[in-house]
């Protein structure tokens, strides 16, 4: 009988570490107080196994975030139909990924999430807006996207009413933004 392959062992190690990290997060253990030895013990593996696979304890969380971002980018390859579709797409993808997002926040990987979302937004705007408008819109859509993702962390009940509420808010923000831009261009 054959033993597990290297890939299977690596996957088991990854899952054991992620499970241990999530247990520490749920126990309100500060991330910056974790030790490799403590995580290894909780995961049922050796410290050397962790060091062999990962540079830091944030690396497995970062890998999971990168994987989810690739899935999100693939899901959003087609243009959004309207603001409701934009909000729905973000929330329907990220709300089920709350456990990962909680790990991201706990491990203080918010800047990585922001950079990933910023790159996603910038990629979506290439060829769709004038280069002079792109920086403002990248900032705007990045902040809106991050706000939706963070708000999705707090959703405890059904997501449908939350999507409607967030869509209406996004539409008001967009309309107000257009009004401000139109007023400022007439002042000059």
């Amino acid at each position: 009988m054959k033993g597990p392959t290297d890939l299977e062992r690596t996957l088991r190690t990854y899952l054991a570490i992620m499970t241990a990290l999530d247990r520490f997060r749920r126990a309100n253990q500060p991330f910056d107080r974790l030790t490799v030895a403590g995580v290894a013990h909780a995961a049922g593996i050796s410290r050397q196994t962790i060091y062999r696979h990962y540079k830091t304890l944030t690396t497995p969380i970062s890998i999971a975030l990168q994987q989810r971002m690739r899935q999100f980018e693939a899901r959003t390859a087609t243009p959004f139909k309207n603001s409701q579709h934009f909000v729905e797409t973000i929330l329907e993808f990220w709300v089920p990924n709350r456990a990962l997002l909680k790990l991201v926040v706990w491990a203080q990987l918010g800047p990585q999430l922001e950079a990933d979302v910023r790159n996603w937004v910038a990629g979506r705007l290439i060829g769709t807006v004038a280069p002079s408008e792109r920086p403002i819109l990248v900032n705007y859509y990045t902040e809106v996207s991050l706000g939706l993702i963070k708000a999705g962390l707090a959703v405890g009940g059904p997501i449908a009413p939350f999507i409607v509420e967030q869509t209406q808010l996004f539409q008001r923000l967009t309309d107000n933004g257009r009004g401000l831009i139109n007023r400022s261009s007439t002042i000059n």
Side-chain angles (χ1 to χ4, degrees):
M1 189 156 120
K2 287 174 116 178
T5 65
D6 287 343
L7 179 61
E8 289 169 332
R9 279 191 295 278
T10 300
L11 182 58
R12 267 195 250 144
T13 298
Y14 169 78
L15 293 173
I17 293 169
M18 289 295 283
T19 300
L21 290 171
D22 194 49
R23 270 189 259 136
F24 283 116
R25 180 196 63 78
R26 289 174 189 259
N28 294 319
Q29 171 75 32
F31 185 82
D32 59 356
R33 295 226 175 121
L34 292 181
T35 64
V36 172
V39 173
H41 178 72
I45 58 177
S46 70
R47 288 181 328 171
Q48 291 80 11
T49 300
I50 292 178
Y51 287 126
R52 187 176 329 124
H53 291 282
Y54 306 108
K55 290 182 179 182
T56 69
L57 290 175
T58 59
T59 303
I61 300 168
S62 182
I63 289 169
L65 178 59
Q66 290 301 308
Q67 177 193 23
R68 293 302 188 289
M69 280 304 300
R70 283 192 298 276
Q71 291 170 347
F72 182 61
E73 288 170 359
R75 180 182 269 190
T76 59
T78 58
F80 294 115
K81 298 173 199 148
N82 53 37
S83 59
Q84 180 176 350
H85 184 228
F86 171 77
V87 172
E88 285 174 351
T89 301
I90 290 172
L91 291 174
E92 287 174 355
F93 183 84
W94 287 106
V95 167
N97 287 293
R98 274 183 276 204
L100 171 61
L101 291 171
K102 288 176 181 179
L103 283 171
V104 166
V105 170
W106 175 68
Q108 301 171 8
L109 292 174
Q112 179 185 341
L113 176 62
E114 181 176 347
D116 290 344
V117 170
R118 185 172 298 284
N119 289 335
W120 169 74
V121 168
R124 304 249 337 143
L125 292 177
I126 291 175
T128 61
V129 297
S132 61
E133 295 175 357
R134 197 171 301 134
I136 294 167
L137 291 175
V138 165
N139 287 337
Y140 173 69
Y141 283 107
T142 298
E143 292 305 317
V144 168
S145 299
L146 288 169
L148 289 168
I149 292 168
K150 290 173 185 173
L153 279 171
V155 176
I159 189 170
F162 181 70
I163 289 174
V164 170
E165 172 188 303
Q166 294 301 309
T167 300
Q168 291 169 347
L169 177 62
F170 174 65
Q171 193 60 54
R172 282 196 307 266
L173 286 170
T174 303
D175 291 345
N176 289 342
R178 280 191 201 113
L180 287 172
I181 290 169
N182 291 338
R183 279 194 295 273
S184 67
S185 62
T186 59
I187 293 172
N188 297 331

